[in-house]
Amino acid sequence: MSLLCNLLFFMVLFLARSLPDLPQKNGIVMYEMLGNQYFMSRQYSRATMALERALQSDPDNMGIQRKLIICYCQIGKVDDALHMFISLIKSDIDFIMSADPILDDCPCPDLIYNMEAQISDERQSLDFNLIIGILWLFCDLERSFEYFHKAQVMDPNNTNIKSIMLFLSNRLEKEKTRH
């Protein structure tokens, strides 16, 4: 990280410690800034704490939700990631699919390739397929569908997975009719 980035990080961290004294709107901004800084440095647990605080006051902020989904996947909160993911794809699936790895600092391509390189036993777990399915939607609709399909085979009665599969199937059909 550059010196300027480090300085900004420590200023935000210092200011965040006094957030209870800040007016509500400034506190939200500070938590989001701190969460973004932690997210950029791939400190997902810390980013989660700050972004959750920001989201409490701004529950419709899709940018915060998108980052929290990634954070939850990385810290093992699969159920939280799944519920927020479902909520976001129901309201605006394009917001996830249009994430730019550079402009949005989306780490998904790297995370996916690292996770897919794991041992094959891990690939057989429901959580693994859900996490990879979630992360692939940021990059590739068809690959996301494949992993959610694997998850559905593992847990065919799971209503969350059924709901996701319906959204993804509809979106794939829509994509096919465009081409």
Side-chain angles (χ1 to χ4, degrees):
M1 254 187 222
S2 70
L3 180 61
L4 181 60
C5 203
N6 280 335
L7 180 61
L8 176 62
F9 176 73
F10 286 111
M11 285 176 47
V12 170
L13 183 61
F14 173 77
L15 292 171
R17 292 181 181 183
S18 61
L19 282 178
D21 301 324
L22 293 173
Q24 185 70 7
K25 183 155 178 70
N26 290 339
I28 297 164
V29 171
M30 294 305 296
Y31 278 120
E32 186 174 1
M33 287 174 59
L34 182 61
N36 287 337
Q37 190 65 38
Y38 283 134
F39 187 86
M40 289 187 321
S41 63
R42 305 305 183 239
Q43 297 180 48
Y44 297 110
S45 292
R46 290 180 173 173
T48 299
M49 291 186 288
L51 293 170
E52 284 176 339
R53 292 286 301 268
L55 191 63
Q56 287 174 355
S57 299
D58 190 5
D60 296 328
N61 187 319
M62 292 190 301
I64 294 173
Q65 291 174 25
R66 182 166 59 191
K67 285 182 178 160
L68 273 172
I69 290 167
I70 295 167
C71 289
Y72 288 148
C73 286
Q74 292 308 294
I75 64 172
K77 290 187 168 185
V78 180
D79 288 338
D80 292 340
L82 194 61
H83 291 293
M84 191 168 287
F85 177 77
I86 291 169
S87 174
L88 197 52
I89 63 171
K90 283 182 179 179
S91 63
D92 188 356
I93 193 170
D94 290 321
F95 189 74
I96 289 181
M97 293 176 59
S98 66
D100 184 285
I102 296 170
L103 294 176
D104 296 322
D105 189 39
C106 182
C108 293
D110 293 334
L111 296 174
I112 291 167
Y113 296 123
N114 289 338
M115 290 181 75
E116 286 185 329
Q118 291 179 7
I119 56 175
S120 61
D121 290 345
E122 181 92 7
R123 288 179 167 218
Q124 301 306 316
S125 79
L126 178 63
D127 284 353
F128 177 85
N129 285 291
L130 292 173
I131 289 169
I132 296 294
I134 289 170
L135 295 176
W136 264 121
L137 191 58
F138 287 82
C139 308
D140 186 320
L141 173 62
E142 290 180 10
R143 295 291 303 270
S144 176
F145 183 85
E146 289 172 22
Y147 278 97
F148 278 113
H149 179 71
K150 290 177 186 179
Q152 188 174 36
V153 169
M154 292 177 177
D155 190 358
N157 297 320
N158 186 312
T159 57
N160 288 326
I161 298 171
K162 286 180 182 180
S163 175
I164 292 167
M165 289 297 290
L166 180 61
F167 274 98
L168 297 182
S169 295
N170 289 339
R171 185 52 188 245
L172 281 168
E173 286 301 316
K174 186 176 177 182
E175 295 286 320
K176 287 178 184 176
T177 58
R178 280 189 196 168
H179 298 292

